[in-house]
């Protein structure tokens, strides 16, 4: 028979069964988990904004540029003059060319106001909108001045409403010319960057290491005559 264990002796703990995982330190679930830091977006650039966040930024930036540079005020004044002239001429019999020019310019000015107010041009980058607006102002000024000259020459006696309408058309043309000057100030100091379309220089191929220049082949001996 095996001898009994002495009193007071410490018994060793039984080994864990096969396949049992060692006990891991339990983490306190109440500890606050580390939250991912939010990416700080630049104020003067779109950055990585997408969806509604990008549209809100584009809308705010577009209206800020449109109103602060004076384009909005000039276009709204031109539009108001043309609408008033259209109302004055509606009660008179006038040449259809005047009605056509006024209607066309009202449509174009309204288009550009909506375009800049809702930042639609920011999502159509393949069109150079500042240059398009510049040419529109030039053509609008030319058409409206031509309409004033035609209206004066086509009538020997002018009704009061007709005279006021002609004056308003001329004022709208002056506002379009002022907008051209504002566009020039916007483009002043901006030049195209050099070498923007030049491809970057390619990397020169480095000689392979461990391989020296191939030795020159010795010349073949001349064959003697038989």
């Amino acid at each position: 028979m095996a001898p009994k264990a002495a009193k007071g002796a410490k018994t060793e703990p039984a080994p864990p069964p096969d396949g049992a995982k060692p006990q891991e330190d339990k983490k306190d679930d109440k500890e606050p988990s580390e939250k991912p830091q939010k990416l700080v977006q630049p104020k003067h650039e779109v950055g990585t904004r997408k969806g509604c966040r990008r549209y809100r930024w584009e809308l705010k930036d577009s209206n800020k540029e449109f109103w602060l540079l004076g384009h909005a005020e000039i276009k709204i004044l031109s539009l108001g003059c043309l609408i008033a002239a259209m109302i004055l001429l509606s009660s008179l019999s006038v040449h259809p060319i005047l009605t056509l020019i006024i209607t066309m310019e009202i449509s174009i000015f309204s288009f550009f106001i909506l375009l800049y107010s809702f930042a639609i041009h920011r999502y159509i980058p393949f069109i150079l909108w500042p240059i398009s607006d510049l040419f529109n102002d030039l053509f609008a000024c030319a058409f409206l001045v031509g309409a004033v000259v035609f209206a004066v020459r086509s009538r020997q006696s002018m009704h009061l409403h007709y005279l006021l309408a002609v004056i308003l058309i001329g004022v709208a043309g002056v506002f379009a010319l002022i907008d051209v000057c504002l566009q020039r100030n916007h483009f002043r100091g901006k030049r195209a960057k050099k070498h923007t379309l030049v491809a970057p220089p390619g990397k020169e191929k480095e000689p392979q290491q461990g391989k020296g220049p191939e030795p020159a082949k010795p010349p073949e001996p001349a064959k003697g005559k038989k």
Side-chain angles (χ1 to χ4, degrees):
M1 295 181 65
K4 294 182 179 180
K7 292 182 179 180
K10 294 181 180 180
T11 58
E12 296 180 358
D18 297 338
K21 295 181 178 179
Q23 294 182 355
E24 297 178 358
D25 297 335
K26 296 182 179 179
K27 295 182 179 179
D28 190 2
D29 296 337
K30 295 182 180 180
E31 293 180 359
S33 59
E34 295 181 357
K35 295 182 180 179
Q37 297 180 354
K38 293 183 179 179
L39 182 63
V40 179
Q41 299 290 347
K43 293 183 179 180
H44 303 288
E45 295 180 359
V46 182
T48 57
R49 296 179 178 90
K50 293 181 180 179
C52 294
R53 292 183 62 195
R54 180 189 174 186
Y55 180 71
R56 284 197 298 268
W57 187 91
E58 296 282 8
L59 185 67
K60 182 179 179 180
D61 187 67
S62 177
N63 279 278
K64 182 180 178 181
E65 182 181 353
F66 186 48
W67 287 90
L68 289 181
L69 294 179
H71 300 297
E73 293 85 348
I74 295 298
K75 291 185 184 301
I76 290 172
L77 288 172
S78 301
L79 183 63
C81 290
L82 291 174
I83 291 174
M86 191 72 180
I87 293 171
L88 290 172
L89 293 177
S90 61
S91 59
L92 302 173
S93 59
V94 295
H95 199 280
I97 193 68
L98 290 176
T99 307
L100 177 64
I101 292 174
I102 295 172
T103 307
M104 179 183 67
E105 294 302 330
I106 288 174
S107 302
I108 295 174
F109 279 118
S110 302
F111 169 75
F112 276 99
I113 290 172
L114 293 175
L115 186 79
Y116 291 122
S117 298
F118 292 98
I120 301 172
H121 65 292
R122 300 291 180 93
Y123 293 88
I124 312 176
F126 55 87
I127 298 177
L128 299 175
W129 290 109
I131 296 177
S132 302
D133 196 5
L134 179 66
F135 280 111
N136 170 63
D137 291 330
L138 288 172
F139 285 118
C141 182
F143 273 104
L144 293 174
V145 170
V148 170
V149 174
F150 179 81
V152 171
R153 289 186 176 183
S154 61
R155 286 285 186 102
Q156 295 181 354
S157 61
M158 294 187 186
H159 192 271
L160 178 60
H161 288 181
Y162 190 87
L163 179 61
L164 291 175
V166 171
I167 293 172
L168 288 173
I169 294 171
V171 171
V174 172
F175 283 139
L177 186 61
I178 294 172
D179 200 16
V180 171
C181 299
L182 293 177
Q183 292 283 355
R184 288 187 60 189
N185 293 334
H186 178 66
F187 284 113
R188 185 173 295 174
K190 293 186 178 181
R191 296 180 180 179
K193 296 181 180 180
K194 295 182 179 180
H195 309 297
T196 52
L197 300 178
V198 178
K203 295 182 179 179
E204 297 180 357
K205 294 183 179 180
E206 297 180 357
Q208 296 180 356
Q209 296 180 357
K211 291 185 178 180
E214 296 181 357
K217 294 182 180 180
E220 295 181 358
K223 295 181 180 180
K225 295 182 180 180
K226 291 183 180 180

